[in-house]
Amino acid sequence: MANSAHIEGTPNPNVSIDCVVFGFDNEKLKVLLIEQKNKGSINAQFALPGDLVLEDEDLHQSATRILKELTDLEGIYLKQFKTFGDPNRVRDVKDQEWLRTFREDPEARVITVAYYSLVKMEDYIPQAASLAGKVIWQNVDEVPQLAFDHNQIVNEALERLREEFEYKNVGYELLPKKFTLSMLQKLHEIILGIELDKRNFRKKIKKSEVLIPLEEKQSGVDHKPAQLFRYKSSSR
Amino acid sequence: MANSAHIEGTPNPNVSIDCVVFGFDNEKLKVLLIEQKNKGSINAQFALPGDLVLEDEDLHQSATRILKELTDLEGIYLKQFKTFGDPNRVRDVKDQEWLRTFREDPEARVITVAYYSLVKMEDYIPQAASLAGKVIWQNVDEVPQLAFDHNQIVNEALERLREEFEYKNVGYELLPKKFTLSMLQKLHEIILGIELDKRNFRKKIKKSEVLIPLEEKQSGVDHKPAQLFRYKSSSR
DNA sequence: CAATCTAAGTGTATTTTTTACACTTAGTGT
DNA sequence: ACACTAAGTGTAAAAAATACACTTAGATTG
């Protein structure tokens, strides 16, 4: 059955990946942006790291590859969170000179599968230049106007990060391998957007038994050094 | 800059929508399946309702349209939850005779954006036949082998439904407009997979103040009739 | 080397939330 | 009137969440 109308000339869409990479510098939550120096425009144009999905690539593979190519980041937490498909969100892929690959229908719409990622900032210094342009860390509350619908993508990524943070224990992906309880508390406060009581916070962490105290204390501070901890379950 | 290699002949992928429609009959959680009678195969082949996204369609619009076309369902809760893009999950769209529309590259891979939906079963009696074939409600714990990776899609939809259920108040989308506390409790028990204490459950619901008691009692039962309620916020 | 500064570290009492648990009641059917 | 079925209801105990202030270890300064 089925009136299988083959619509001649209806192009398949381009499919891309965009990554919202979060970092935490112990003060602010940051997001990784790429500065595009294309089309000779005067003002810097910022965008999320992203590119088209290749022909025989799984989406997660693709996200991993693209992030590596554009930012040199590897082996980090990557979570698909939403696909954006407004028909007008991007038109005409070939105008985007920084893209690595063009496809058969460069003028077709672009549907993008968005991922968010969590990075230990101590492990990553943005390359001065990547294939795509300059890579920078930007405070999430000071993100400039980005290309396409990338501001919206960042905002929705943030929402999802908050939600996931509350019921999964995903925060350690943003901290150094060794960290203090104050750093952990600060991270919670910033992601949840609330202040926490020091004693109650420590009580709760202790009961949850996810941390292991190290034989080591903080160094390089001009006050009482804090105990360092690491997460139990992972040897990351 | 940018080594914009136009890869000749790299086809854009097909993009489709698949919908996992949940219903609740006061006993079991159900999922809506379409029986495909194609290729003259002997055994019924079941699949999720789905089709290709049209050229100028937003993804949510597309899901709404496809669901209407294939199942006649309208105005229901629809939530995008994940995009599936294993390069081998579907090959060669033109083999799927029930699809409504073919695209420029029917042999290219198919990436599918999956939605889940919640339906008040009292409002919906599956059509004996739709464009696509017979539509049936199936218990989620008795889903047969489905086409492609649709079993996986159903499983992940269920996981997401459970997660969403716990922190959003989304359950009423599955209940009739008027319902009893026992029905609500049963729904919670089935979705969460645990048993609940009647008194404690009622206490918690009462405190949350989301229900309004109606001037009406259950009828047609051979025992003490229960008070009926509806949800406060919506006039659905 | 005494005084000062900074953030680390620690306990208790109160309130709120969660859990466990059993009998009475309103209506239907015989 | 008796039996059957699911509806409806309260209290006590345990666990979790909150509010709250002083002491301590090390670095810096005069």
Side-chain angles (χ1 to χ4, degrees):
Chain A
M1 69 151 314
N3 48 347
S4 344
H6 184 151
I7 301 174
E8 296 293 345
T10 297
N12 283 2
N14 291 282
V15 174
S16 68
I17 302 279
D18 283 303
C19 296
V20 184
V21 183
F22 291 109
F24 176 63
D25 69 353
N26 224 6
E27 280 298 325
K28 295 263 191 178
L29 198 61
K30 308 261 187 178
V31 61
L32 209 55
L33 300 178
I34 287 183
E35 182 181 356
Q36 295 160 350
K37 356 160 182 162
N38 58 331
K39 293 210 246 185
S41 73
I42 305 166
N43 299 327
Q45 167 77 306
F46 289 93
L48 294 172
D51 200 351
L52 295 172
V53 174
L54 294 181
E55 186 177 2
D56 277 304
E57 222 175 20
D58 178 61
L59 297 175
H60 199 275
Q61 276 169 29
S62 184
T64 307
R65 170 187 62 82
I66 288 166
L67 209 51
K68 165 72 178 163
E69 284 181 2
L70 296 182
T71 68
D72 214 41
L73 278 165
E74 263 181 296
I76 66 177
Y77 180 89
L78 253 175
K79 172 98 184 176
Q80 186 198 307
F81 73 95
K82 185 166 175 186
T83 297
F84 294 81
D86 184 314
N88 298 308
R89 59 173 296 285
V90 176
R91 280 286 179 189
D92 216 346
V93 163
K94 70 179 183 308
D95 286 350
Q96 274 66 64
E97 293 173 15
W98 68 88
L99 289 175
R100 295 266 291 139
T101 50
F102 285 169
R103 306 303 292 278
E104 201 171 69
D105 281 305
E107 292 173 28
R109 68 190 290 190
V110 180
I111 291 172
T112 200
V113 182
Y115 283 74
Y116 72 82
S117 337
L118 306 180
V119 169
K120 301 179 200 306
M121 277 182 74
E122 63 165 2
D123 290 353
Y124 179 63
I125 299 128
Q127 311 308 116
S130 83
L131 287 163
K134 197 161 61 163
V135 179
I136 61 159
W137 282 115
Q138 183 70 232
N139 290 338
V140 289
D141 50 8
E142 296 168 20
V143 173
Q145 197 177 11
L146 304 179
F148 319 126
D149 56 355
H150 285 190
N151 289 90
Q152 187 195 348
I153 295 176
V154 170
N155 290 337
E156 298 204 23
L158 243 177
E159 273 179 47
R160 282 295 292 275
L161 171 60
R162 293 207 167 101
E163 287 173 13
E164 182 146 1
F165 190 76
E166 298 211 55
Y167 69 100
K168 281 187 185 164
N169 234 3
V170 92
Y172 68 92
E173 301 280 0
L174 285 163
L175 291 171
K177 288 151 216 129
K178 304 168 181 182
F179 53 86
T180 68
L181 293 178
S182 293
M183 288 162 74
L184 182 61
Q185 182 178 342
K186 191 75 185 270
L187 177 62
H188 279 248
E189 290 177 332
I190 283 186
I191 290 187
L192 302 177
I194 53 176
E195 296 223 317
L196 298 170
D197 178 88
K198 201 189 342 178
R199 284 183 283 195
N200 295 338
F201 179 76
R202 287 157 118 94
K203 203 187 300 173
K204 211 164 75 176
I205 295 292
K206 215 163 271 174
K207 200 168 41 187
S208 76
E209 298 185 319
V210 291
L211 298 192
I212 294 179
L214 301 175
E215 308 286 292
E216 199 179 343
K217 300 210 160 175
Q218 201 180 27
S219 65
V221 287
D222 68 341
H223 59 273
K224 178 173 177 177
Q227 177 69 243
L228 289 169
F229 292 81
R230 68 170 177 84
Y231 268 90
K232 203 177 239 175
S233 45
S234 74
S235 49
R236 293 163 188 269
Chain B
M1 67 142 315
N3 47 348
S4 343
H6 184 150
I7 301 176
E8 297 292 347
T10 296
N12 284 1
N14 292 282
V15 174
S16 68
I17 302 279
D18 282 303
C19 297
V20 184
V21 183
F22 291 110
F24 177 61
D25 70 352
N26 225 6
E27 280 298 324
K28 295 264 190 177
L29 198 60
K30 307 263 186 177
V31 63
L32 209 55
L33 299 178
I34 286 183
E35 181 180 356
Q36 295 160 349
K37 357 164 177 155
N38 57 330
K39 293 210 247 182
S41 72
I42 305 166
N43 299 326
Q45 166 78 307
F46 289 93
L48 295 172
D51 200 351
L52 295 172
V53 174
L54 295 180
E55 186 175 4
D56 276 304
E57 219 174 23
D58 178 60
L59 297 176
H60 199 276
Q61 276 168 30
S62 184
T64 308
R65 170 187 61 82
I66 288 167
L67 209 52
K68 165 72 177 163
E69 284 181 1
L70 296 183
T71 68
D72 214 44
L73 279 165
E74 262 181 298
I76 66 177
Y77 181 89
L78 255 176
K79 172 98 184 175
Q80 187 197 307
F81 73 95
K82 185 165 175 188
T83 297
F84 293 80
D86 183 312
N88 297 309
R89 62 173 293 284
V90 177
R91 281 284 180 190
D92 217 345
V93 162
K94 72 178 180 312
D95 285 351
Q96 273 67 63
E97 294 173 16
W98 68 87
L99 289 175
R100 296 266 291 140
T101 49
F102 284 172
R103 307 303 292 277
E104 202 170 68
D105 282 306
E107 290 173 29
R109 68 190 287 192
V110 181
I111 291 172
T112 200
V113 183
Y115 283 74
Y116 73 81
S117 336
L118 306 180
V119 169
K120 301 181 200 306
M121 276 183 72
E122 62 165 2
D123 290 352
Y124 180 62
I125 298 130
Q127 311 308 114
S130 84
L131 288 163
K134 196 160 62 162
V135 179
I136 62 160
W137 283 115
Q138 183 70 234
N139 290 339
V140 290
D141 50 7
E142 295 168 22
V143 173
Q145 198 178 9
L146 304 178
F148 319 126
D149 54 355
H150 285 190
N151 289 90
Q152 187 194 348
I153 295 176
V154 170
N155 290 337
E156 297 204 23
L158 243 177
E159 271 179 48
R160 280 296 291 276
L161 171 61
R162 293 207 167 101
E163 286 172 13
E164 181 144 2
F165 190 78
E166 299 211 54
Y167 69 99
K168 282 187 185 163
N169 234 0
V170 92
Y172 67 90
E173 301 281 1
L174 285 164
L175 290 172
K177 288 148 214 131
K178 305 169 180 180
F179 52 86
T180 67
L181 293 178
S182 293
M183 287 162 74
L184 182 60
Q185 180 176 343
K186 190 75 183 269
L187 178 61
H188 279 247
E189 290 178 332
I190 283 185
I191 291 187
L192 302 177
I194 53 176
E195 296 223 317
L196 297 170
D197 177 90
K198 202 194 334 187
R199 284 182 284 193
N200 294 339
F201 179 76
R202 286 158 119 94
K203 202 188 302 173
K204 210 163 78 177
I205 295 293
K206 214 162 269 172
K207 199 169 44 190
S208 75
E209 297 185 321
V210 292
L211 297 191
I212 294 180
L214 301 175
E215 309 286 292
E216 198 178 342
K217 301 211 161 172
Q218 201 181 28
S219 65
V221 287
D222 68 341
H223 58 274
K224 177 173 178 178
Q227 177 69 244
L228 288 171
F229 292 82
R230 68 170 177 84
Y231 268 90
K232 202 176 238 173
S233 46
S234 76
S235 50
R236 291 163 189 270

